[in-house]
Amino acid sequence: MAHELNRPDPAFAVRRNVNLETDEIWQARVDLAACLRTAARHGLEEGICNHFSAVVPGHPDLFLVNRLGYAFEEASASNLLICDFDGNVLSGDGEPEATAFYIHARLHRMSPRVGAAFHTHMPNATALSMLEGEPLVWAGQTALKFYGRTVVDEDYNGLALDEREGDRIAAVLGDNDILFMKNHGVMVCAANIAEAWDDLYYLERAAEVQLKAMSTGRPLLPVKPEVAAAAARQMRDGDPESARLHLESIKRVLDRKDPDYKL
């Protein structure tokens, strides 16, 4: 289901006097590769069709993204691409998948607050996107991490193979962090890679336990709105540091079990 990006522009461009090999950029490559590898270990990807992106440190008009044809478990720091918003590849061997470009380039261009955007068809959250009504019912503590932060795209419109669809998705996201895309999947957006990973992981966990509870056939017991809002504030207060520690944790695990993600 992956699609090549067919554009009249050159596939590779050189931006003069721009250093894309700084230590900070390399660290972003390592962090994003770690998230892709770990997402694969948790079964959060779908073949070669899902994509993670992050704004290149020091270059708000460029973004890192995984390359067309590579599964998440194949991602490494060096095989990620750096692209501009016109579809040119400035660093890396290969090209972005078409829907990855049209979704992520437009999202980062239209929403500069989004430092990282992770799009997956992860099974439990995607299952909730296939149901009528609101995906999360705020019945579990983990779900409360996302209380007041989600929005639903009710209008599935086929594959994102042009800028108009990317713009539409970005407009629906608005100021929210989590986009449930009906009949499709989810988009998790955050200020940085660590927070995007943290939200992606816990969103799938929240969806999983909700579906298990629903499978009993018994009514779910939502948390009172005022309690849900208070718990959400408590979680958000500690989220940035918790996310940083979570990312460091997955990198330590990969250092032991799958160290070539850093190459």
Side-chain angles (χ1 to χ4, degrees):
M1 295 190 295
H3 287 67
E4 293 185 8
L5 180 64
N6 296 315
R7 295 177 64 82
D9 302 320
F12 187 86
V14 176
R15 185 174 291 197
R16 298 186 182 279
N17 302 318
V18 174
N19 182 9
L20 298 178
E21 298 182 0
T22 66
D23 290 344
E24 189 177 13
I25 292 174
W26 181 257
Q27 187 60 59
R29 285 180 171 275
V30 169
D31 290 349
L32 192 60
C35 293
L36 289 158
R37 291 281 184 109
T38 305
R41 294 173 69 88
H42 289 294
L44 307 185
E45 88 288 23
E46 187 166 69
I48 58 171
C49 296
N50 294 171
H51 19 87
F52 291 1
S53 68
V55 172
V56 175
H59 302 276
D61 57 341
L62 304 177
F63 65 101
L64 282 159
V65 68
N66 47 308
R67 61 179 290 184
L68 171 68
Y70 274 47
F72 279 16
E73 66 181 344
E74 298 180 273
S76 68
S78 60
N79 69 28
L80 299 176
L81 307 176
I82 292 179
C83 302
D84 66 18
F85 293 156
D86 295 317
N88 297 307
V89 178
L90 304 181
S91 177
D93 180 21
E95 62 183 73
E97 196 269 338
T99 63
F101 170 72
Y102 286 115
I103 291 175
H104 294 262
R106 303 307 296 176
L107 181 60
H108 288 301
R109 171 173 270 172
M110 293 181 65
S111 301
R113 69 179 180 86
V114 176
F118 291 4
H119 172 61
T120 75
H121 303 162
M122 54 191 187
N124 294 290
T126 299
L128 292 183
S129 80
M130 297 164 61
L131 302 176
E132 291 185 1
E134 289 293 323
L136 292 172
V137 297
W138 318 117
Q141 177 171 283
T142 302
L144 300 182
K145 175 177 170 64
F146 306 104
Y147 190 83
R149 302 173 57 207
T150 69
V151 67
V152 178
D153 179 3
E154 298 282 359
D155 300 312
Y156 177 68
N157 202 35
L159 302 184
L161 294 176
D162 58 43
E163 292 180 349
R164 290 173 300 174
E165 181 62 6
D167 287 350
R168 189 192 69 80
I169 291 170
V172 175
L173 175 71
D175 294 330
N176 299 283
D177 299 325
I178 310 298
L179 178 63
F180 279 94
M181 308 164 83
K182 286 287 188 178
N183 312 108
H184 185 175
V186 294
M187 177 74 72
V188 173
C189 299
N192 54 58
I193 293 170
E195 291 181 52
W197 165 254
D198 197 59
D199 278 349
L200 187 84
Y201 174 84
Y202 286 112
L203 182 65
E204 180 67 352
R205 294 289 290 181
E208 181 181 10
V209 296
Q210 179 174 310
L211 285 169
K212 287 185 175 181
M214 292 168 66
S215 72
T216 68
R218 298 171 60 184
L220 273 64
L221 180 63
V223 176
K224 294 178 181 178
E226 62 273 19
V227 177
R233 288 193 296 271
Q234 290 174 323
M235 293 182 190
R236 291 300 286 163
D237 284 344
D239 265 354
E241 178 62 8
S242 181
R244 184 190 70 80
L245 293 172
H246 194 178
L247 179 59
E248 292 304 313
S249 174
I250 70 169
K251 288 190 290 184
R252 287 194 300 273
V253 172
L254 290 173
D255 287 344
R256 296 192 301 271
K257 298 183 177 181
D258 204 8
D260 64 345
Y261 81 98
K262 286 184 171 181
L263 300 180

